[in-house]
Amino acid sequence: MTGRTYKTSIGMAIALIAAMPGVASACELFHGVRVQIESGSYRATLNEVLLKDRGTKLSSDDGSVSQSSYEYSLTEWLVPGQNIVNIDYDGSAGAFTIFARCKGSYDDDHIVDTVSFTSPSAGQLHFDHAEPLDDIYLKADIAGDAGLLDAVEKLQDAARAGDVETILRMHAPMIEEFGRRMGSAEGITSYLRTILPSHPAVIEETLTVTPVMGGRVYQIFGPDGQPPISVSGQTDDGSFSWPGGVYWARFGDEWAVVAN
């Protein structure tokens, strides 16, 4: 069973936040999800892309239940206009809230949409994104999945052969996006050139392909959420685990990885 509070348009949210004491008039708005779970677990997607597959079930020896509460921002897998968060909840007491907040602020947020649960059920949260978007996945073609599995197989063959340059080339949009967000892609390319040649890749043979983002992106996982390829091991800085080949998009005649 679910119960909803209220929704507010993005324009009204901006106006309300801008009017808050101490908030500058120029507010770069972002949205996030606040989770409050007293029991159970959940699965969440944003525009069909898996966000979280986690939950807590907190109980003591005497049967009492304590609350779990946390939040995370929604900065990837956005689309212009309306965005949808789907929640599949399995428990008896949980609430999920979309909030809007000025970047750089940690309070004075405005509640956009809320859904609460008192039994296992599904619900949706909605919010409008008005800020400009320049994410690479939005520039991909919507043209079906022909050739996608061939591209995945090519990536896996490169991983088996230790062909680092092919792996990097097939991850080029993801690396470019990393550079756009972080200011440089040198860090990730150097990191991958360090770990990929010196650690054997694990190849997942059984894969499920799911179209997301309205068919603009394809999500590929193994039966238990494994990526098509993965590398893990130890470095001087500690242990690491790197997944590869998870989110694919088509640019003209070529498939490439846009995120992992």
Side-chain angles (χ1 to χ4, degrees):
M1 181 178 181
T2 64
R4 187 172 299 281
T5 56
Y6 57 85
K7 302 179 184 179
T8 303
S9 70
I10 193 72
M12 185 179 294
I14 293 173
L16 287 170
I17 291 177
M20 292 174 182
V23 177
S25 58
C27 170
E28 185 181 358
L29 198 70
F30 78 95
H31 292 86
V33 177
R34 183 171 297 123
V35 180
Q36 293 176 294
I37 294 181
E38 295 183 8
S39 68
S41 59
Y42 74 96
R43 181 180 186 274
T45 62
L46 170 60
N47 299 322
E48 305 169 299
V49 180
L50 183 66
L51 279 181
K52 301 286 177 181
D53 192 7
R54 68 179 185 184
T56 55
K57 196 169 186 178
L58 305 175
S59 60
S60 63
D61 293 338
D62 62 6
S64 63
V65 176
S66 55
Q67 187 180 69
S68 173
S69 179
Y70 50 89
E71 63 183 43
Y72 47 92
S73 59
L74 301 174
T75 57
E76 295 181 284
W77 307 118
L78 298 169
V79 297
Q82 187 180 79
N83 290 257
I84 299 174
V85 175
N86 280 297
I87 307 288
D88 291 313
Y89 176 71
D90 185 9
S92 59
F96 300 81
T97 299
I98 296 287
F99 62 85
R101 182 184 299 161
C102 292
K103 287 187 178 180
S105 173
Y106 293 95
D107 52 18
D108 293 332
D109 50 282
H110 182 72
I111 303 306
V112 178
D113 199 6
T114 296
V115 62
S116 59
F117 300 90
T118 56
S119 64
S121 185
Q124 281 191 345
L125 297 165
H126 303 79
F127 65 96
D128 290 332
H129 184 84
E131 299 286 343
L133 290 169
D134 196 32
D135 299 85
I136 285 177
Y137 58 77
L138 293 174
K139 302 172 184 177
D141 299 325
I142 302 177
D145 63 356
L148 173 57
L149 289 180
D150 290 337
V152 175
E153 184 177 357
K154 179 180 178 181
L155 175 66
Q156 291 182 320
D157 287 344
R160 291 187 184 96
D163 183 352
V164 175
E165 294 309 311
T166 295
I167 296 173
L168 292 178
R169 186 171 63 252
M170 297 188 77
H171 282 79
M174 184 200 78
I175 294 171
E176 181 181 342
E177 183 68 18
F178 181 90
R180 184 181 72 85
R181 289 176 177 266
M182 304 302 294
S184 172
E186 291 182 6
I188 189 171
T189 53
S190 175
Y191 172 70
L192 292 176
R193 284 195 169 101
T194 298
I195 67 170
L196 291 177
S198 55
H199 298 84
V202 175
I203 310 298
E204 178 54 48
E205 303 292 349
T206 303
L207 298 170
T208 298
V209 178
T210 305
V212 296
M213 302 290 292
R216 193 177 296 278
V217 176
Y218 286 81
Q219 177 177 276
I220 303 181
F221 284 116
D224 298 312
Q226 308 97 316
I229 65 173
S230 60
V231 177
S232 61
Q234 298 283 333
T235 67
D236 293 340
D237 298 323
S239 61
F240 72 91
S241 179
W242 182 78
V246 178
Y247 294 99
W248 293 74
R250 184 172 176 173
F251 301 89
D253 295 330
E254 187 170 348
W255 286 97
V257 182
V258 293
N260 283 327

